[in-house]
Amino acid sequence: MSATEVLARFRSEVGAAVTRSRRASGEIGERNAKLRERTRDLARQARERRVEPGAQATSADVREAAKGFRDHRGLPVEQVPDAAELTAPAPVETEPVATLGSTAVAGPSGQRPRVSDDDEDFSQSRILY
């Protein structure tokens, strides 16, 4: 074999290796993008307290290991509720019922009277403020 043939063969093998590495890198990039999207969806579901039926919670030691891994590498660690919080019923928010005359009205200056724990008579609060 001549030096020219050896060099051509070497270039061919290097080109094939570069092509394989680019293909593998692209495949890994796609896989990582899918994994990141799935992780974002799971974090969003955890924040919104939506749990799929029959979903298994990740054990505490695995969660701590993952958190330690991200902390060690300087990656962001999002705080999400733990399994007990996710499976607990979400608190029901109700609007407070306003009764007539129960709230102070702003006076001519636009200020409302101070809120305090005093049991004094505030029947004149409209006049004072």
Side-chain angles (χ1 to χ4, degrees):
M1 245 187 211
S2 71
T4 308
E5 291 174 340
V6 170
L7 186 58
R9 184 175 173 194
F10 176 74
R11 286 183 178 164
S12 172
E13 289 180 13
V14 168
V18 168
T19 301
R20 284 192 307 272
S21 69
R22 286 181 180 158
R23 185 177 304 129
S25 176
E27 290 172 1
I28 293 298
E30 289 175 18
R31 185 174 141 217
N32 285 341
K34 289 178 185 176
L35 181 62
R36 274 191 231 101
E37 182 65 29
R38 177 70 178 140
T39 302
R40 268 192 296 273
D41 289 343
L42 290 172
R44 181 180 41 76
Q45 287 177 5
R47 280 189 302 273
E48 295 172 356
R49 297 183 173 271
R50 288 190 307 135
V51 180
E52 295 176 4
Q56 294 293 325
T58 306
S59 64
D61 55 334
V62 172
R63 287 174 57 137
E64 284 300 316
K67 182 180 179 298
F69 175 86
R70 286 185 238 122
D71 282 340
H72 180 69
R73 285 164 179 75
L75 300 171
V77 180
E78 185 173 348
Q79 298 298 323
V80 294
D82 63 2
E85 292 178 57
L86 287 175
T87 55
V92 178
E93 294 182 20
T94 58
E95 292 186 25
V97 178
T99 57
L100 237 78
S102 65
T103 58
V105 178
S109 65
Q111 294 180 347
R112 293 187 176 197
R114 289 181 295 132
V115 178
S116 67
D117 294 333
D118 291 345
D119 290 337
E120 296 178 19
D121 179 20
F122 288 101
S123 62
Q124 302 296 317
S125 64
R126 286 187 176 176
I127 297 170
L128 296 175
Y129 292 95

